[in-house]
Amino acid sequence: MTRYFGAENYNSYAFYESILIAFSMFFVLGQDASLTRSVLIHRVSNSIRVQESAILFTLIFGLTMSLIFYFFEKKFLVLICLGAIILAINQLLSIISIAKKDFGIYNFSRILNQVFTFASTIILISLFALTIENRLFLIVFGFLIGIIVFNKYFKKFNFFNFLKKNNIAFKYSLFTGIFLLLFNISGVIRLRIDKILFLPSIDSILASNLAVASMLIIVISSLIDSFAKIYVYKIYESFDKKTKRISRDALIYSIVSGLMLMIISFILFSLPKNVFLTIFGENFENVGYYASILLIPYSLFPAYLYSVNHAIYLRKTSFLGFSSLISSLAWMLIFYILLTNEVSITYCYLSQIIIFLPNIIFSQFINWGYNEK
């Protein structure tokens, strides 16, 4: 797609794709934690009620946002919201399948989704018919196909339970997820806000190089995040049974993983520019350099994921939510100040370290305020 849209226009595509993904991350409403906890800790019947509540939360909230935008005649945002609902529901069902260790269903859904989106995009490119609009439609439709694979979960749902009085699952989803909504917003800021607010204001070729570099980092971080989700039950089991602290083995794993990411960063920095010109096309020769810079703060990402799961395990979601949001807003402010003062864009991204450090510190040094007594 970089060759098809070109360095002058790829940033425009990244802008609209980021809006779609940002809305979908927002519509999850922090329910991923309530789903994981309910599957791993609670009885099957109670877990199913929580799953119903989480999906209905997303559906109702997404449709409400769509109606608000429709009222204000923002038709593009209405379509974005409707597409984001599908992406968010797919994400929730993926979390359920991972927590249940239904890895076959999870992988089949992901593969089917990606194969459809990739193949249909290639066909439209070969016909010179690909646009930003139909590319976004293909992404949404691919996730819709992925949802169909999870149909066995829907067979167990009874959404009318949501209307019952004293709905414990509703309250559980609400109070577990409400503060993690702040965490989700921080994720939107970390992964997408630069492409929505900042990159459109700089040179288009530089912005496109940064957008592609950022997508590479998103792929790497998503792989790490997926691995953590698949083995989340082992992460929970690794915490000390008495003090509830992160184990020594987990600390070693975080350090080793961080060093491996630094090695990948060095490799990206060292690769000749011709490699990226060959892969991405004309004017994309600086993708490797910027990807190496963006990856440096992510050397803390494995430790950050442990700290996040640690907080969820201890049910310190309010602490986690506020900490994550404040850290992300601080980075956004630093990014804006550096950019408006014409400081090199590389320092804007290196400052992203401020997003990861606080949660790691709170986890390691004060155990998220947990009192074992």
Side-chain angles (χ1 to χ4, degrees), residues 316-339:
K316 297 292 184 178
T317 51
S318 58
F319 197 161
L320 172 66
F322 283 112
S323 167
S324 302
L325 182 60
I326 292 170
S327 300
S328 296
L329 289 174
W331 172 68
M332 191 168 69
L333 179 61
I334 291 171
F335 196 114
Y336 174 76
I337 292 172
L338 293 176
L339 191 65

mmCIF file of all heavy atoms in Angstrom, residues 316-339:
data_model
loop_
_atom_site.group_PDB
_atom_site.id
_atom_site.type_symbol
_atom_site.label_atom_id
_atom_site.label_comp_id
_atom_site.label_asym_id
_atom_site.label_seq_id
_atom_site.Cartn_x
_atom_site.Cartn_y
_atom_site.Cartn_z
ATOM 1 N N LYS A 316 -6.369 -3.376 41.351
ATOM 2 C CA LYS A 316 -6.007 -1.974 41.531
ATOM 3 C C LYS A 316 -6.241 -1.227 40.211
ATOM 4 O O LYS A 316 -5.385 -0.470 39.733
ATOM 5 C CB LYS A 316 -4.540 -1.853 41.961
ATOM 6 C CG LYS A 316 -4.218 -2.498 43.306
ATOM 7 C CD LYS A 316 -4.878 -1.746 44.445
ATOM 8 C CE LYS A 316 -4.485 -2.326 45.799
ATOM 9 N NZ LYS A 316 -5.080 -1.572 46.915
ATOM 10 N N THR A 317 -7.428 -1.437 39.634
ATOM 11 C CA THR A 317 -7.699 -0.890 38.304
ATOM 12 C C THR A 317 -7.842 0.634 38.313
ATOM 13 O O THR A 317 -7.529 1.282 37.318
ATOM 14 C CB THR A 317 -8.961 -1.525 37.709
ATOM 15 O OG1 THR A 317 -10.033 -1.424 38.654
ATOM 16 C CG2 THR A 317 -8.726 -2.994 37.386
ATOM 17 N N SER A 318 -8.325 1.197 39.422
ATOM 18 C CA SER A 318 -8.440 2.658 39.481
ATOM 19 C C SER A 318 -7.048 3.291 39.482
ATOM 20 O O SER A 318 -6.796 4.279 38.771
ATOM 21 C CB SER A 318 -9.219 3.089 40.722
ATOM 22 O OG SER A 318 -8.602 2.617 41.909
ATOM 23 N N PHE A 319 -6.149 2.717 40.270
ATOM 24 C CA PHE A 319 -4.757 3.182 40.320
ATOM 25 C C PHE A 319 -4.140 3.071 38.926
ATOM 26 O O PHE A 319 -3.522 4.023 38.413
ATOM 27 C CB PHE A 319 -3.990 2.329 41.329
ATOM 28 C CG PHE A 319 -2.677 2.912 41.786
ATOM 29 C CD1 PHE A 319 -2.084 2.447 42.962
ATOM 30 C CD2 PHE A 319 -2.006 3.894 41.067
ATOM 31 C CE1 PHE A 319 -0.874 2.952 43.404
ATOM 32 C CE2 PHE A 319 -0.802 4.411 41.502
ATOM 33 C CZ PHE A 319 -0.231 3.939 42.666
ATOM 34 N N LEU A 320 -4.313 1.915 38.292
ATOM 35 C CA LEU A 320 -3.754 1.674 36.957
ATOM 36 C C LEU A 320 -4.334 2.640 35.937
ATOM 37 O O LEU A 320 -3.602 3.209 35.115
ATOM 38 C CB LEU A 320 -4.045 0.236 36.532
ATOM 39 C CG LEU A 320 -3.707 -0.141 35.083
ATOM 40 C CD1 LEU A 320 -2.204 -0.076 34.855
ATOM 41 C CD2 LEU A 320 -4.232 -1.540 34.761
ATOM 42 N N GLY A 321 -5.654 2.837 35.970
ATOM 43 C CA GLY A 321 -6.306 3.697 34.989
ATOM 44 C C GLY A 321 -5.819 5.127 35.057
ATOM 45 O O GLY A 321 -5.439 5.714 34.037
ATOM 46 N N PHE A 322 -5.805 5.697 36.257
ATOM 47 C CA PHE A 322 -5.380 7.089 36.403
ATOM 48 C C PHE A 322 -3.894 7.258 36.111
ATOM 49 O O PHE A 322 -3.483 8.241 35.481
ATOM 50 C CB PHE A 322 -5.707 7.600 37.810
ATOM 51 C CG PHE A 322 -7.157 7.939 38.009
ATOM 52 C CD1 PHE A 322 -7.947 7.184 38.849
ATOM 53 C CD2 PHE A 322 -7.729 9.005 37.333
ATOM 54 C CE1 PHE A 322 -9.295 7.476 39.014
ATOM 55 C CE2 PHE A 322 -9.077 9.318 37.501
ATOM 56 C CZ PHE A 322 -9.861 8.550 38.344
ATOM 57 N N SER A 323 -3.080 6.314 36.571
ATOM 58 C CA SER A 323 -1.650 6.369 36.312
ATOM 59 C C SER A 323 -1.355 6.347 34.813
ATOM 60 O O SER A 323 -0.559 7.154 34.306
ATOM 61 C CB SER A 323 -0.944 5.184 36.992
ATOM 62 O OG SER A 323 0.377 5.035 36.532
ATOM 63 N N SER A 324 -2.012 5.436 34.097
ATOM 64 C CA SER A 324 -1.782 5.293 32.655
ATOM 65 C C SER A 324 -2.246 6.525 31.886
ATOM 66 O O SER A 324 -1.554 7.002 30.983
ATOM 67 C CB SER A 324 -2.519 4.054 32.129
ATOM 68 O OG SER A 324 -2.095 2.898 32.801
ATOM 69 N N LEU A 325 -3.420 7.031 32.241
ATOM 70 C CA LEU A 325 -3.957 8.192 31.523
ATOM 71 C C LEU A 325 -3.102 9.432 31.755
ATOM 72 O O LEU A 325 -2.782 10.156 30.805
ATOM 73 C CB LEU A 325 -5.393 8.454 31.974
ATOM 74 C CG LEU A 325 -6.093 9.619 31.252
ATOM 75 C CD1 LEU A 325 -6.178 9.362 29.754
ATOM 76 C CD2 LEU A 325 -7.478 9.864 31.833
ATOM 77 N N ILE A 326 -2.724 9.679 32.996
ATOM 78 C CA ILE A 326 -1.911 10.861 33.303
ATOM 79 C C ILE A 326 -0.563 10.781 32.599
ATOM 80 O O ILE A 326 -0.075 11.774 32.045
ATOM 81 C CB ILE A 326 -1.727 11.009 34.833
ATOM 82 C CG1 ILE A 326 -3.062 11.361 35.490
ATOM 83 C CG2 ILE A 326 -0.679 12.075 35.152
ATOM 84 C CD1 ILE A 326 -3.053 11.287 37.005
ATOM 85 N N SER A 327 0.054 9.590 32.593
ATOM 86 C CA SER A 327 1.343 9.408 31.918
ATOM 87 C C SER A 327 1.218 9.671 30.423
ATOM 88 O O SER A 327 2.082 10.334 29.815
ATOM 89 C CB SER A 327 1.866 7.992 32.150
ATOM 90 O OG SER A 327 2.043 7.721 33.515
ATOM 91 N N SER A 328 0.145 9.178 29.805
ATOM 92 C CA SER A 328 -0.050 9.351 28.364
ATOM 93 C C SER A 328 -0.339 10.808 28.015
ATOM 94 O O SER A 328 0.163 11.330 27.013
ATOM 95 C CB SER A 328 -1.190 8.458 27.875
ATOM 96 O OG SER A 328 -0.870 7.104 28.049
ATOM 97 N N LEU A 329 -1.139 11.469 28.843
ATOM 98 C CA LEU A 329 -1.426 12.890 28.607
ATOM 99 C C LEU A 329 -0.157 13.729 28.766
ATOM 100 O O LEU A 329 0.049 14.698 28.027
ATOM 101 C CB LEU A 329 -2.514 13.375 29.571
ATOM 102 C CG LEU A 329 -3.932 12.844 29.310
ATOM 103 C CD1 LEU A 329 -4.870 13.290 30.432
ATOM 104 C CD2 LEU A 329 -4.451 13.325 27.957
ATOM 105 N N ALA A 330 0.678 13.344 29.734
ATOM 106 C CA ALA A 330 1.958 14.043 29.927
ATOM 107 C C ALA A 330 2.832 13.904 28.682
ATOM 108 O O ALA A 330 3.452 14.878 28.226
ATOM 109 C CB ALA A 330 2.669 13.493 31.153
ATOM 110 N N TRP A 331 2.876 12.671 28.113
ATOM 111 C CA TRP A 331 3.663 12.472 26.890
ATOM 112 C C TRP A 331 3.096 13.281 25.731
ATOM 113 O O TRP A 331 3.841 13.882 24.959
ATOM 114 C CB TRP A 331 3.695 10.996 26.504
ATOM 115 C CG TRP A 331 4.333 10.788 25.160
ATOM 116 C CD1 TRP A 331 5.649 10.986 24.829
ATOM 117 C CD2 TRP A 331 3.677 10.403 23.943
ATOM 118 N NE1 TRP A 331 5.855 10.727 23.495
ATOM 119 C CE2 TRP A 331 4.656 10.371 22.926
ATOM 120 C CE3 TRP A 331 2.360 10.073 23.629
ATOM 121 C CZ2 TRP A 331 4.361 10.028 21.608
ATOM 122 C CZ3 TRP A 331 2.061 9.723 22.317
ATOM 123 C CH2 TRP A 331 3.053 9.703 21.325
ATOM 124 N N MET A 332 1.774 13.326 25.610
ATOM 125 C CA MET A 332 1.142 14.081 24.539
ATOM 126 C C MET A 332 1.500 15.564 24.653
ATOM 127 O O MET A 332 1.778 16.240 23.653
ATOM 128 C CB MET A 332 -0.371 13.891 24.576
ATOM 129 C CG MET A 332 -1.098 14.427 23.354
ATOM 130 S SD MET A 332 -2.825 13.869 23.261
ATOM 131 C CE MET A 332 -3.531 14.774 24.629
ATOM 132 N N LEU A 333 1.516 16.078 25.870
ATOM 133 C CA LEU A 333 1.880 17.480 26.098
ATOM 134 C C LEU A 333 3.344 17.724 25.745
ATOM 135 O O LEU A 333 3.683 18.728 25.101
ATOM 136 C CB LEU A 333 1.613 17.855 27.559
ATOM 137 C CG LEU A 333 1.974 19.293 27.969
ATOM 138 C CD1 LEU A 333 1.158 20.297 27.161
ATOM 139 C CD2 LEU A 333 1.754 19.489 29.469
ATOM 140 N N ILE A 334 4.217 16.798 26.172
ATOM 141 C CA ILE A 334 5.644 16.925 25.848
ATOM 142 C C ILE A 334 5.851 16.889 24.342
ATOM 143 O O ILE A 334 6.630 17.678 23.787
ATOM 144 C CB ILE A 334 6.444 15.789 26.531
ATOM 145 C CG1 ILE A 334 6.451 15.995 28.046
ATOM 146 C CG2 ILE A 334 7.875 15.731 25.991
ATOM 147 C CD1 ILE A 334 7.012 14.822 28.823
ATOM 148 N N PHE A 335 5.163 15.974 23.666
ATOM 149 C CA PHE A 335 5.245 15.857 22.205
ATOM 150 C C PHE A 335 4.867 17.196 21.562
ATOM 151 O O PHE A 335 5.579 17.699 20.671
ATOM 152 C CB PHE A 335 4.303 14.750 21.717
ATOM 153 C CG PHE A 335 4.554 14.283 20.316
ATOM 154 C CD1 PHE A 335 4.993 12.986 20.065
ATOM 155 C CD2 PHE A 335 4.351 15.129 19.222
ATOM 156 C CE1 PHE A 335 5.219 12.547 18.764
ATOM 157 C CE2 PHE A 335 4.566 14.697 17.922
ATOM 158 C CZ PHE A 335 4.997 13.414 17.698
ATOM 159 N N TYR A 336 3.753 17.776 22.014
ATOM 160 C CA TYR A 336 3.273 19.038 21.443
ATOM 161 C C TYR A 336 4.282 20.169 21.675
ATOM 162 O O TYR A 336 4.588 20.941 20.763
ATOM 163 C CB TYR A 336 1.924 19.405 22.068
ATOM 164 C CG TYR A 336 1.420 20.764 21.661
ATOM 165 C CD1 TYR A 336 0.871 20.978 20.399
ATOM 166 C CD2 TYR A 336 1.504 21.853 22.543
ATOM 167 C CE1 TYR A 336 0.418 22.233 20.015
ATOM 168 C CE2 TYR A 336 1.058 23.110 22.180
ATOM 169 C CZ TYR A 336 0.509 23.297 20.910
ATOM 170 O OH TYR A 336 0.078 24.542 20.534
ATOM 171 N N ILE A 337 4.812 20.254 22.905
ATOM 172 C CA ILE A 337 5.766 21.322 23.231
ATOM 173 C C ILE A 337 7.032 21.197 22.384
ATOM 174 O O ILE A 337 7.525 22.178 21.819
ATOM 175 C CB ILE A 337 6.117 21.296 24.736
ATOM 176 C CG1 ILE A 337 4.899 21.686 25.569
ATOM 177 C CG2 ILE A 337 7.297 22.222 25.033
ATOM 178 C CD1 ILE A 337 5.087 21.494 27.064
ATOM 179 N N LEU A 338 7.563 19.980 22.286
ATOM 180 C CA LEU A 338 8.778 19.760 21.502
ATOM 181 C C LEU A 338 8.530 20.050 20.019
ATOM 182 O O LEU A 338 9.362 20.677 19.349
ATOM 183 C CB LEU A 338 9.271 18.325 21.681
ATOM 184 C CG LEU A 338 9.773 17.937 23.077
ATOM 185 C CD1 LEU A 338 10.144 16.456 23.119
ATOM 186 C CD2 LEU A 338 10.969 18.788 23.477
ATOM 187 N N LEU A 339 7.386 19.616 19.507
ATOM 188 C CA LEU A 339 7.080 19.797 18.092
ATOM 189 C C LEU A 339 6.896 21.267 17.748
ATOM 190 O O LEU A 339 7.412 21.748 16.728
ATOM 191 C CB LEU A 339 5.817 19.011 17.728
ATOM 192 C CG LEU A 339 5.497 18.877 16.233
ATOM 193 C CD1 LEU A 339 6.577 18.068 15.514
ATOM 194 C CD2 LEU A 339 4.136 18.205 16.039
#
